[in-house]
């Protein structure tokens, strides 16, 4: 009997131990399951700064406005990646490319501890703010785009950013339109225009877009006022300037051929609307790289050239003599008769035309094409920006070159005198005008 009682007690003990172990395993399983329940496994992602030899599965959970979800928020819905809050296990550092909307894993310090599975908590927060402008309240993205990538709706573009972004110009904070935006149409003075940006002084900068409405990417000569060379000569660096003076790197004694064309358009079609215009200025930056050359036949590369190569646009005009303003202005070179000009290559990059390397041969630029940006009209058109005086790779002629957007939506540097391309004037409208409409094709802004 004693032996039987011992066996009975031992069996109960085994049952209790077994039951306890099962409970622990079940609890551990539940905890492990819950640990990954809201995570989604991802195999395709970019790896930076480290050798990646499939160290293990990686799982993502997304926090949108603080709420956890298995779904990555869609691009251009007002969210940006919160780098400060986001984290991964096993030493993996999470980063995010807002332009391509892709996760990048930095595996430099990868070190699997308890298990090789890596969990990443990616936080997204509202990336816009509301600003009050002459157009009303606008939603503005607060992050800086990647200007090495073209922005448009076309599949060829590396970025599909669409909206209003912010940067700094000489007058303060400027809000610029980027990508295939559809809310920057303006009807004014019998023509249609597209808004480039709200200037730092609150005025509205816009570019000519024809006598009828055009969709983004629509190829039409109606979107230009005509064609012409940038200048009549190319044998001196001064001819790359919107205005120029012999022997003066920043001179304004003479008008270029393209300035004459733009002035004539204003005189013939816009002069009755003088009271609507603001004097915000047009920057034709002629600062040369390293201050070498800049006049005559010295080899010269202007900073506009290098900013394009480096995909580093700027709305700051370094030299006051290159900021074209009217004689009544309190700033700039006061050299213009009429308040009209051209857009800069920096504004074109901000609008979504990628910077990058170009070699002077129009058939061989290497920036990404852009066929559906709001500026694209199917034909080459000049900007106000000079490129320099040099001999491009693959060409024999040492001469003056400007910068333009070609028929593929790429930036390149045509010869100023022999290449006849299209022209799109730019104007600035005062911030205190009366504006109606919502900027769409069906209800464009009306200025009165």
């Amino acid at each position: 009997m004693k032996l039987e009682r011992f066996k009975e007690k031992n069996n109960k003990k085994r049952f209790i131990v077994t039951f306890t172990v099962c409970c622990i395993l079940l609890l551990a399983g539940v905890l492990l399951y819950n640990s990954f329940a809201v995570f989604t496994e991802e195999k395709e992602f970019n790896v930076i700064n480290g050798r990646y030899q499939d160290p293990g599965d990686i799982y993502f959970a997304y926090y949108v406005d603080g709420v956890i979800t298995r779904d990555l928020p869609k691009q251009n819905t007002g969210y940006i990646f919160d780098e400060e809050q986001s984290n991964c296990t096993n030493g993996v550092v999470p980063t995010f490319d807002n332009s391509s909307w892709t996760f990048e894993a930095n595996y430099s310090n990868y070190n699997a501890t308890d298990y090789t599975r890596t969990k990443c908590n990616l936080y997204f927060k509202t990336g816009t703010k509301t600003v009050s402008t002459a157009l009303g309240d606008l939603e503005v993205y607060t992050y800086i785009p990647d200007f090495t990538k073209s922005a448009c709706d076309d599949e060829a573009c590396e970025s599909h950013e669409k909206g209003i972004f912010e940067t700094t110009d000489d007058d303060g904070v400027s809000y610029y339109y980027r990508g295939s935006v559809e809310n920057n149409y303006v009807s004014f003075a019998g023509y249609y225009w597209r808004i480039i940006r709200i200037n730092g002084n609150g005025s509205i900068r816009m570019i000519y877009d024809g006598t009828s409405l055009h969709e983004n990417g629509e190829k039409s000569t109606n979107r230009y006022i005509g064609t012409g060379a940038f200048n009549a000569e190319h044998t001196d660096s001064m001819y790359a300037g919107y205005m120029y003076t012999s022997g003066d790197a920043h001179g304004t004694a003479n008008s270029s051929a393209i300035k004459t064309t733009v002035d004539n358009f204003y005189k013939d079609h816009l002069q009755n609307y003088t009271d609507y215009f603001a004097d915000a200025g047009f920057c034709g930056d002629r600062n040369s790289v390293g201050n070498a050359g800049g006049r005559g036949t010295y080899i010269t590369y202007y900073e506009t050239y290098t900013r394009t190569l480096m995909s580093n646009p700027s709305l700051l005009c370094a030299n006051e003599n290159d900021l074209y303003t009217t004689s009544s202005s309190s700033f700039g070179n006061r050299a213009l008769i009429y308040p009209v000009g051209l857009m800069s290559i920096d504004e074109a990059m901000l609008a979504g035309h990628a910077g990058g390397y170009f070699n002077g041969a129009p058939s061989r630029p290497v920036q990404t094409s852009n066929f559906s940006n709001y500026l694209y009209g199917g034909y080459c058109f000049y900007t106000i920006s000079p490129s320099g005086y040099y001999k491009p790779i693959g060409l024999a002629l040492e001469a003056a070159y400007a910068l333009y957007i070609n028929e593929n939506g790429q930036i390149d540097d045509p010869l100023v005198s022999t290449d006849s391309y299209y022209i799109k004037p730019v104007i600035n409208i005062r911030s205190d005008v009366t504006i109606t409409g919502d900027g769409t094709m069906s209800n464009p802004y009306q200025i009165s």
Side-chain angles (χ1 to χ4, degrees):
M1 293 297 295
K2 291 182 179 179
L3 182 60
E4 289 177 358
R5 283 199 298 269
F6 174 78
K7 287 182 178 179
E8 182 180 351
K9 290 180 180 179
N10 195 44
N11 288 336
K12 289 182 179 179
K13 184 176 181 180
R14 286 177 181 171
F15 173 77
I16 294 172
V17 171
T18 302
F19 179 77
T20 302
V21 170
C22 289
C23 288
I24 292 174
L25 291 175
L26 179 62
L27 180 62
V30 170
L31 291 174
L32 184 61
Y33 173 80
N34 288 334
S35 176
F36 285 90
V38 294
F39 285 75
T40 180
E41 185 179 5
E42 179 65 58
K43 287 290 188 182
E44 300 294 333
F45 53 87
N46 295 325
V47 178
I48 58 175
N49 298 331
R51 295 180 179 178
Y52 176 50
Q53 297 178 344
D54 197 16
D57 298 335
I58 186 166
Y59 291 80
F60 296 93
Y62 307 105
Y63 290 80
V64 181
D65 289 335
V67 178
I68 193 168
T69 174
R70 289 171 62 95
D71 300 317
L72 175 70
K74 294 184 181 298
Q75 188 180 22
N76 299 326
T77 55
Y79 291 101
I80 60 172
F81 181 66
D82 189 339
E83 188 172 346
E84 291 185 1
Q85 287 200 73
S86 298
N87 60 82
C88 295
T89 59
N90 298 337
V92 176
V93 177
T95 61
F96 202 83
D97 186 334
N98 281 295
S99 295
S100 61
W101 208 244
T102 54
F103 170 78
E104 296 178 337
N106 187 328
Y107 273 82
S108 297
N109 298 314
Y110 176 77
N111 180 26
T113 52
D114 297 330
Y115 44 79
T116 58
R117 282 180 170 179
T118 296
K119 294 195 303 183
C120 289
N121 296 293
L122 306 185
Y123 286 79
F124 293 84
K125 60 184 179 180
T126 301
T128 62
K129 65 181 181 181
T130 302
V131 298
S132 180
T133 73
L135 299 173
D137 289 343
L138 300 176
E139 289 296 311
V140 177
Y141 288 100
T142 56
Y143 70 89
I144 299 174
D146 183 351
F147 299 112
T148 66
K149 299 177 179 179
S150 56
C152 72
D153 283 345
D154 192 89
E155 292 181 358
C157 285
E158 299 164 298
S159 169
H160 302 292
E161 290 163 326
K162 178 194 297 185
I164 306 171
F165 295 75
E166 65 178 359
T167 189
T168 303
D169 66 13
D170 292 308
D171 294 314
V173 179
S174 179
Y175 305 107
Y176 62 91
Y177 288 76
R178 179 172 175 81
S180 301
V181 289
E182 298 163 331
N183 61 342
N184 66 339
Y185 288 89
V186 178
S187 174
F188 173 70
Y191 300 98
Y192 290 99
W193 310 75
R194 303 296 292 268
I195 298 172
I196 298 172
R197 60 186 175 105
I198 309 297
N199 299 312
N201 64 5
S203 60
I204 305 165
R205 187 182 301 255
M206 54 194 198
I207 189 167
Y208 181 87
D209 203 40
T211 57
S212 59
L213 288 163
H214 299 283
E215 294 183 349
N216 292 332
E218 180 183 339
K219 183 176 181 178
S220 174
T221 57
N222 182 253
R223 303 182 73 174
Y224 313 88
I225 65 167
T227 62
F230 191 91
N231 219 335
E233 301 288 343
H234 60 254
T235 55
D236 190 298
S237 62
M238 66 179 175
Y239 294 122
Y242 191 61
M243 299 183 74
Y244 61 93
T245 302
S246 180
D248 185 349
H250 303 276
T252 58
N254 305 291
S255 293
S256 63
I258 198 168
K259 177 181 177 296
T260 300
T261 300
V262 170
D263 284 351
N264 286 338
F265 174 79
Y266 181 94
K267 183 172 60 176
D268 294 340
H269 302 285
L270 300 176
Q271 195 158 211
N272 292 335
Y273 300 87
T274 300
D275 291 343
Y276 291 85
F277 291 98
D279 198 12
F282 308 90
C283 187
D285 186 2
R286 291 175 290 184
N287 268 16
S288 58
V289 178
N291 293 318
R295 59 185 182 277
T297 56
Y298 290 99
I299 297 298
T300 299
Y301 294 93
Y302 293 116
E303 291 184 0
T304 49
Y305 179 100
T306 56
R307 285 200 299 274
T308 301
L309 292 183
M310 300 300 293
S311 303
N312 186 31
S314 172
L315 295 181
L316 301 177
C317 205
N319 192 306
E320 190 173 41
N321 286 334
D322 294 335
L323 182 60
Y324 295 93
T325 56
T326 63
S327 57
S328 61
S329 179
S330 60
F331 60 94
N333 58 25
R334 305 175 183 86
L336 298 179
I337 300 174
Y338 306 112
V340 63
L342 299 172
M343 80 180 308
S344 69
I345 204 65
D346 301 271
E347 289 172 325
M349 282 190 281
L350 293 173
H353 294 274
Y357 176 76
F358 56 91
N359 59 15
S363 62
R364 298 198 299 271
V366 297
Q367 300 99 341
T368 307
S369 299
N370 191 324
F371 295 105
S372 64
N373 180 275
Y374 78 89
L375 287 175
Y376 179 79
Y379 297 91
C380 307
F381 70 94
Y382 282 112
T383 71
I384 198 173
S385 302
S387 184
Y389 185 91
Y390 50 85
K391 182 170 67 174
I393 297 172
L395 298 180
L397 186 62
E398 189 173 284
Y401 295 87
L403 291 168
Y404 79 155
I405 305 298
N406 71 14
E407 69 276 9
N408 295 318
Q410 299 162 311
I411 300 172
D412 209 357
D413 53 347
L415 185 67
V416 296
S417 64
T418 59
D419 295 314
S420 183
Y421 296 119
Y422 283 87
I423 301 169
K424 291 174 74 72
V426 172
I427 57 177
N428 298 287
I429 298 296
R430 289 167 46 173
S431 61
D432 60 352
V433 297
T434 300
I435 300 174
T436 57
D438 59 14
T440 60
M441 281 188 73
S442 60
N443 188 22
Y445 291 119
Q446 303 276 346
I447 298 175
S448 62

